[in-house]
Amino acid sequence: MASDSLPDSPRPRRTAKKWWKESTVYQVYPASFKDSNGDGIGDIPGITSKLDYIKNLGADIIWLNPIFCSPQIDMGYDVSDYYNIYRPFGTVDDLDRLTAGIHERGMKLVLDLVVNHTSDQHRWFQEARSSRFNPYRDWYVWKKPTFDADGNRRPPNNWKSYFGGSVWEYDDLTGEYYLHLFAKEQPDLNWENPYVRAAVHDIVRYWLNKGADGFRMDAINLISKDQSFPDAPVTDPNSRWQDGTKYFACGPRLHEYLQGIGKILKQYDAFSVGEMPEIYDLNEILRSVGDDRSELSMVFHFEIVSLDHGAGGKFTSRTWTLNELKTVVSKWQTYMHNNNGWNALYLENHDQPRIVSRFGSDTQEHLALSAKMLATFLGFQSGTLFIYQGQELGLPNVPKTWSLDQYRDIETLNHWHENQKSPHPESYLQEYRLKSRDNARTPMPWDSSPNAGFSTAHPWIPVNDNHISLNAATQITQKESVYNFWASILHLRKKYPDVLVYGTFELLDPDHEHVFAYIRRASSAHAIVVMNFKSNEVKWSVPACFQRNGHGRILLANYTRSLPLDSTITLRPFESFIWFSDSEHSEARL
Ligand code: GLC
Ligand code: CA
């Protein structure tokens, strides 16, 4: 969980300007975005056909989840060839056309670099497993078995895999175990080996030369492991397998490895965002994203998206409070600003459920209101903003009527496999409806036609029935839609970068249980952002700074709200607004 105390911060410095700081990233999940050839699977030509949609929203960068050759055990996060495209998604020529289309529109392309592990079908691993003496053997992590008192074979240690079971898989042919932090079909690369590092550098250079503008780096803080591979302390007495993250999350040589890639990125002025689960030490993260470090542009941390994970892991429940959210947000916002780091702002992605169902409300009455409130909450913070496909429409989770055979995700299905005989399996079904990764992986609803305009065929994962009313075609034309609300946020960030991109962040009213409010401030202007996280009305005492300044205006709101504000106001269910005051009327200090 979040550490409460802040590391010592130097005095705020002026944040260096960079193109990627002022950009908004739109994340495309290729399998579910748009199918161009009627096989039920989204593809690259489909993405190319929708570039104007993304451009019109106001996004600057498109990040594609993995598109490379893969047996798709984990939706492309198991790469079998880094230089070719997974055939159902298209060809390298299709990618060239997509890249050209993105660049013609003044946008940039970010690819997903998955190099903590490969697929077990990658040639490197096929070679490695063929013999203990194969030159590729040392590209992966192999260990001899251990034996218990009765002579039974045991894995080298007790670490638990993210997708269930041990991280070690025994390979009969050569009589050793190999390491896989994720599925057994995703063997971990051995980054200690300089040939592995050189091979990764080649991949990075190749795609930058082909026109990519940067990378999202998958699980990148897991690449350096404690080479003594010790047993993890027993934190779950009911399991054989224990949490070993402290031996591989942010391991001893992580920064050296990141600098190796960072040097190349720098030559291309490329963008990078590192996915970094299991790190709560801000200083460690600052070492990765500090302006002077040449490692990563920014990282995805997990403190917000694990607020509702219970003691038994993601698929157990936890009640969280708004004050916890305030602590996390304020910590990251102020610390990065004060230390010349940079934040990546996200609430959704292909691994997370839909945020309206999670932090807002997916009832008909409140869906759009809470989607706009959460957009306001995220969209005016400091950092590079990430929007996941469908978030701009305020899409909710999959319907509550979904049964287990409609899920496709390996994490969910493996979890079920391990836990269906537990005393209360139905509680897990409930948790999948809340947090399964499939919630965000259903086909993009383009219109109200059969299969939501995503495909002419039956899609690989069911379409959400709500596409009849909730779809892109309708929202584009409605002035008040969630889509147009997001478009306004992106427009405002472009119009007022000094305040909304580079300005400082201060939490207002930290103890209010239902209202989240913050100030963004630059020398010339300031903005106050106010959100009611509740589905009912709440009272809010308006801070003095509003009243002292009668000149500001509301830039964007999800209800009509007129000025000036009384000393106490009633915020309606999920009400949010941003109030702005610029140079001529602004006070130096509020
Ligand atoms: C990351 C990806 C996730 C994948 C995992 C293993 O967390 O975002 O989708 O399953 O890494 O590559
Ligand atoms: Ca297709």
Side-chain angles (χ1 to χ4, degrees):
M1 263 294 86
S3 63
D4 311 354
S5 60
L6 273 179
D8 285 343
S9 308
R11 287 161 62 82
R13 282 182 278 172
R14 204 177 160 74
T15 310
K17 298 199 168 176
K18 294 270 168 46
W19 67 268
W20 41 260
K21 292 184 178 174
E22 296 173 30
S23 297
T24 293
V25 182
Y26 186 85
Q27 182 189 348
V28 169
Y29 198 62
S32 303
F33 195 60
K34 173 72 188 164
D35 174 21
S36 72
N37 61 350
D39 63 358
I41 303 172
D43 45 53
I44 295 173
I47 302 169
T48 308
S49 72
K50 293 293 182 186
L51 286 179
D52 287 332
Y53 170 84
I54 302 173
K55 177 74 187 169
N56 290 339
L57 180 65
D60 312 281
I61 299 176
I62 297 179
W63 153 30
L64 301 183
N65 285 100
I67 49 171
F68 304 110
C69 290
S70 162
Q72 303 285 326
I73 293 290
D74 184 21
M75 296 301 295
Y77 282 96
D78 45 330
V79 178
S80 53
D81 178 356
Y82 292 93
Y83 293 98
N84 280 300
I85 308 296
Y86 172 56
R87 203 61 192 87
F89 287 169
T91 61
V92 172
D93 287 344
D94 289 329
L95 182 62
D96 285 343
R97 277 187 285 273
L98 172 65
T99 311
I102 290 174
H103 289 162
E104 272 158 26
R105 289 168 179 79
M107 296 189 287
K108 310 260 190 190
L109 171 67
V110 163
L111 297 175
D112 216 310
L113 185 70
V114 188
V115 288
N116 173 69
H117 45 267
T118 68
S119 159
D120 62 350
Q121 301 305 305
H122 196 290
R123 188 178 58 84
W124 302 338
F125 190 71
Q126 295 287 310
E127 293 277 349
R129 85 180 335 172
S130 68
S131 144
R132 277 170 45 213
F133 308 103
N134 187 285
Y136 284 93
R137 183 71 169 182
D138 189 44
W139 284 47
Y140 295 85
V141 183
W142 296 91
K143 294 275 173 240
K144 295 201 183 335
T146 55
F147 292 92
D148 66 14
D150 302 327
N152 299 315
R153 192 186 68 225
R154 290 270 177 266
N157 70 21
N158 67 356
W159 295 357
K160 159 177 93 177
S161 150
Y162 284 109
F163 291 160
S166 165
V167 297
W168 299 100
E169 179 71 9
Y170 186 68
D171 203 46
D172 266 329
L173 184 68
T174 55
E176 289 187 339
Y177 284 88
Y178 65 85
L179 178 78
H180 61 90
L181 296 184
F182 294 90
K184 67 178 189 325
E185 296 86 353
Q186 294 168 297
D188 279 49
L189 282 164
N190 175 20
W191 276 71
E192 300 285 318
N193 182 337
Y195 291 107
V196 167
R197 303 200 293 274
V200 170
H201 295 173
D202 286 347
I203 296 166
V204 168
R205 263 191 232 98
Y206 179 82
W207 289 109
L208 290 173
N209 286 336
K210 284 284 280 175
D213 301 288
F215 297 94
R216 177 264 187 188
M217 299 186 194
D218 186 60
I220 200 69
N221 64 320
L222 310 182
I223 58 180
S224 165
K225 282 97 181 170
D226 180 331
Q227 291 301 295
S228 61
F229 294 93
D231 268 334
V234 176
T235 45
D236 179 0
N238 300 322
S239 171
R240 270 178 78 183
W241 314 118
Q242 305 296 326
D243 178 359
T245 46
K246 69 173 175 174
Y247 302 112
F248 54 76
C250 229
R253 296 179 71 185
L254 174 67
H255 299 294
E256 175 196 337
Y257 299 160
L258 287 178
Q259 281 171 14
I261 302 179
K263 264 192 210 119
I264 304 171
L265 297 175
K266 204 168 182 179
Q267 289 159 13
Y268 291 79
D269 190 21
F271 167 98
S272 61
V273 54
E275 187 203 29
M276 292 210 171
E278 324 279 1
I279 294 193
Y280 303 106
D281 177 356
L282 285 170
N283 290 313
E284 193 51 68
I285 290 196
L286 199 64
R287 263 176 232 131
S288 313
V289 303
D291 229 18
D292 51 344
R293 298 278 305 174
S294 299
E295 294 188 16
L296 298 167
S297 314
M298 62 195 85
V299 304
F300 292 131
H301 72 75
F302 281 67
E303 288 195 55
I304 294 178
V305 296
S306 49
L307 280 173
D308 57 1
H309 293 188
K314 169 173 176 170
F315 293 128
T316 55
S317 69
R318 180 172 184 276
T319 311
W320 56 277
T321 66
L322 193 65
N323 290 0
E324 289 175 322
L325 181 65
K326 288 182 185 183
T327 307
V328 173
V329 169
S330 171
K331 173 176 92 170
W332 285 88
Q333 287 286 299
T334 50
Y335 188 70
M336 285 299 183
H337 196 276
N338 291 351
N339 293 282
N340 267 345
W342 194 248
N343 277 297
L345 306 170
Y346 80 100
L347 290 172
E348 286 188 20
N349 62 36
H350 63 293
D351 293 331
Q352 301 299 331
R354 295 294 186 176
I355 200 63
V356 279
S357 301
R358 198 177 198 184
F359 286 8
S361 162
D362 52 18
T363 62
Q364 208 179 349
E365 189 186 2
H366 291 145
L367 181 86
L369 280 169
S370 67
K372 291 177 185 175
M373 182 280 283
L374 291 161
T376 307
F377 160 71
L378 189 74
F380 294 117
Q381 289 178 38
S382 163
T384 297
L385 186 57
F386 287 74
I387 302 173
Y388 176 72
Q389 67 181 48
Q391 186 177 1
E392 77 281 15
L393 304 175
L395 297 187
N397 278 355
V398 301
K400 299 195 173 43
T401 51
W402 263 36
S403 59
L404 210 72
D405 58 0
Q406 285 164 296
Y407 287 86
R408 303 281 179 269
D409 169 35
I410 184 173
E411 181 189 44
T412 310
L413 298 177
N414 280 3
H415 185 274
W416 179 244
H417 187 70
E418 282 191 354
N419 293 283
Q420 55 184 318
K421 299 209 172 67
S422 66
H424 298 289
E426 62 294 342
S427 74
Y428 289 123
L429 291 176
Q430 173 77 17
E431 289 294 311
Y432 302 154
R433 279 180 205 122
L434 290 173
K435 285 174 260 177
S436 166
R437 306 197 295 183
D438 280 336
N439 282 303
R441 295 180 177 183
T442 53
M444 179 77 177
W446 292 105
D447 56 41
S448 60
S449 67
N451 303 323
F454 162 74
S455 175
T456 51
H458 198 60
W460 68 276
I461 187 170
V463 166
N464 196 326
D465 299 335
N466 63 11
H467 73 273
I468 309 289
S469 55
L470 211 52
N471 60 64
T474 315
Q475 291 209 18
I476 291 168
T477 57
Q478 286 170 345
K479 209 166 142 270
E480 303 296 326
S481 68
V482 177
Y483 175 90
N484 281 314
F485 194 89
W486 268 110
S488 302
I489 293 180
L490 270 42
H491 172 75
L492 289 169
R493 288 177 71 93
K494 284 264 167 346
K495 191 165 175 195
Y496 304 112
D498 287 348
V499 184
L500 299 181
V501 176
Y502 294 109
T504 57
F505 174 101
E506 289 153 63
L507 195 61
L508 269 177
D509 209 349
D511 298 324
H512 199 295
E513 284 175 22
H514 307 305
V515 177
F516 198 125
Y518 60 83
I519 307 184
R520 302 295 314 279
R521 193 202 312 266
S523 55
S524 57
H526 57 273
I528 302 184
V529 188
V530 183
M531 278 77 50
N532 173 14
F533 268 71
K534 284 299 267 191
S535 57
N536 43 272
E537 294 186 342
V538 303
K539 294 253 181 283
W540 192 53
S541 319
V542 176
C545 51
F546 272 102
Q547 281 134 45
R548 271 192 276 129
N549 193 325
H551 302 287
R553 59 191 190 276
I554 303 274
L555 287 185
L556 188 65
N558 62 356
Y559 289 85
T560 317
R561 160 82 51 204
S562 47
L563 294 174
L565 300 177
D566 294 335
S567 58
T568 298
I569 58 171
T570 301
L571 290 166
R572 288 153 284 186
F574 297 112
E575 179 167 358
S576 65
F577 60 89
I578 174 168
W579 174 97
F580 187 86
S581 174
D582 52 18
S583 52
E584 42 184 321
H585 308 301
S586 181
E587 294 174 19
R589 283 286 333 144
L590 293 173

